[in-house]
Amino acid sequence: MKTDNLAAASIPGALPIIDLSPMLDDTGMPLRRSSPQKKAMAKQLTDACLHTGFFYVSGHGIAESLIADVFRETRALFDLPVMEKEAIHKSRSPANRGYEPLKGQTLEPGSPPDLKEGFYIGEELGPDDPRVQAGRFNHGANQWPGSRPSFQTTMMSYFDQLNDLSARIMSALALSLSLPEDYFADFCQKPLSTLRLLHYPPQPAQPEPGEKGCGAHTDFGGITILLLDNNPGLQVWDAGSEQWINANPVPGTFVVNLGDMIARWTNDRYRSTLHRVVNSSGAERYSVPFFYSGNPDHEVRCLPGCLGKGDSPHYPPTTVEQHLMDMYRRTYA
């Protein structure tokens, strides 16, 4: 696989746009599974997950006004003085929350550090929460920029709504796998979720070999819901054409991709696909991924219908928490 060429092709229709509105009726209640709209949506989703594991979603129900507020607060955060950002550095948090400086992460082994800075947010949990007292993985309090009082309110409102949207997408994924719509209900209880704000400066005119905004990688967890600004940069590896394809912004949509845990769950039937960012727009680029990993105690074993005759599971059973801990250890060892 050739991954060193930073130019990416544009292949019409490579990533489909899936309308999620058939999941709910006009009153916000679930439509019948047998509705033609729901069946068509599930078929589209199956095809997307078998092909690249990447797709756009419309009909998501997240207000444009909230999205605008998220981008406003994101830009304001990264415009803060360096000392103020360093005061909420993620190294100060036992739950991996807070600021990560430019070139603070290297996602592609053997490549230069990523040309991005970030900020991590999770469920707000105080010291008395039993999960915090037990030292559960990535559970705890957030760090907030003191000079931006509206930042916390905006981000936690968005965080809560993205948790709800993620649960709806998991219901759609269940339908795509010919499972009951509520199959992942336990997985969606008290989910481990991470909201990450990202700022990419323009790609340098003369970058180091292999230098890019974000190195080629797959995501660890369940699903990722990615909010893009108006600048291109996201590239997805297409195994069929053996080339990188551009996943450019589409107004009114999110980009959704499957993580390694879904690939494991489906015995690699559904894909967790390499992707990267090359910010060749010439502008400051911002994106906001939401990583949904589900209930830490939920067991992950090969799903019904994902094991062919005579096949064996590719992976032993595990839990969400154990899977994530194993992936973090592999990445940061």
Side-chain angles (χ1 to χ4, degrees):
M1 179 172 66
K2 297 178 180 180
T3 63
D4 51 346
N5 183 2
L6 297 187
S10 292
I11 303 175
L15 298 183
I17 300 175
I18 297 177
D19 182 5
L20 286 180
S21 58
M23 292 300 294
L24 301 174
D25 64 19
D26 292 339
T27 67
M29 297 298 293
L31 279 174
R32 295 192 313 274
R33 179 182 180 134
S34 60
S35 71
Q37 303 97 317
K38 215 169 204 179
K39 285 184 175 181
M41 180 214 63
K43 176 62 168 60
Q44 269 192 300
L45 194 52
T46 302
D47 293 344
C49 293
L50 291 173
H51 178 50
T52 61
F54 264 84
F55 47 93
Y56 299 91
V57 295
S58 61
H60 47 72
I62 307 300
E64 286 296 324
S65 57
L66 178 57
I67 289 172
D69 288 346
V70 167
F71 274 129
R72 184 188 66 248
E73 293 294 342
T74 296
R75 295 185 188 97
L77 171 80
F78 291 119
D79 284 343
L80 291 175
V82 172
M83 287 186 62
E84 190 169 347
K85 291 186 288 188
E86 289 288 345
I88 48 176
H89 193 290
K90 66 190 291 285
S91 63
R92 301 173 182 267
S93 165
N96 294 312
R97 312 283 176 78
Y99 175 69
E100 184 174 68
L102 191 70
K103 299 186 177 183
Q105 185 179 42
T106 305
L107 279 171
E108 185 175 338
S111 293
D114 295 347
L115 288 171
K116 68 178 189 301
E117 58 180 336
F119 193 86
Y120 292 80
I121 300 166
E123 183 181 4
E124 185 68 40
L125 299 174
D128 295 334
D129 188 283
R131 293 166 289 177
V132 177
Q133 292 184 339
R136 298 296 296 267
F137 179 72
N138 272 9
H139 286 77
N142 291 293
Q143 299 191 87
W144 303 109
S147 63
R148 296 292 306 178
S150 56
F151 181 90
Q152 179 176 351
T153 303
T154 296
M155 294 306 170
M156 293 314 297
S157 175
Y158 185 74
F159 183 92
D160 291 342
Q161 293 195 36
L162 266 287
N163 263 330
D164 292 343
L165 175 59
S166 297
R168 203 180 328 147
I169 293 173
M170 291 304 300
S171 294
L173 285 173
L175 294 177
S176 79
L177 290 160
S178 300
L179 296 169
E181 191 169 334
D182 63 353
Y183 188 87
F184 295 115
D186 179 73
F187 172 75
C188 295
Q189 295 297 313
K190 294 185 177 180
L192 188 59
S193 305
T194 300
L195 178 63
R196 193 176 184 193
L197 317 178
L198 294 172
H199 166 228
Y200 298 90
Q203 183 80 1
Q206 295 181 319
E208 296 181 39
E211 189 174 38
K212 57 187 78 74
C214 178
H217 67 286
T218 59
D219 293 341
F220 296 160
I223 59 173
T224 302
I225 303 177
L226 178 62
L227 175 61
L228 300 174
D229 70 4
N230 295 322
N231 296 306
L234 176 64
Q235 299 178 351
V236 176
W237 181 252
D238 183 77
S241 62
E242 295 192 342
Q243 62 183 323
W244 292 102
I245 60 174
N246 287 314
N248 291 336
V250 175
T253 71
F254 292 100
V255 175
V256 176
N257 67 279
L258 309 181
D260 297 335
M261 191 162 61
I262 299 293
R264 177 179 186 140
W265 228 339
T266 61
N267 216 37
D268 295 318
R269 182 184 176 203
Y270 278 6
R271 293 177 179 270
S272 175
T273 299
L274 281 172
H275 51 287
R276 67 184 189 181
V277 172
V278 180
N279 183 19
S280 56
S281 68
E284 306 295 323
R285 180 181 183 273
Y286 301 88
S287 69
V288 183
F290 182 83
F291 302 99
Y292 187 79
S293 298
N295 182 347
D297 295 321
H298 191 83
E299 184 181 57
V300 178
R301 63 166 61 237
C302 186
L303 291 169
C306 292
L307 200 60
K309 187 177 180 180
D311 289 343
S312 300
H314 298 168
Y315 312 95
T318 187
T319 64
V320 167
E321 183 175 53
Q322 189 60 54
H323 167 78
L324 292 174
M325 291 172 67
D326 290 344
M327 298 302 288
Y328 270 81
R329 274 197 291 266
R330 185 185 307 174
T331 302
Y332 293 109

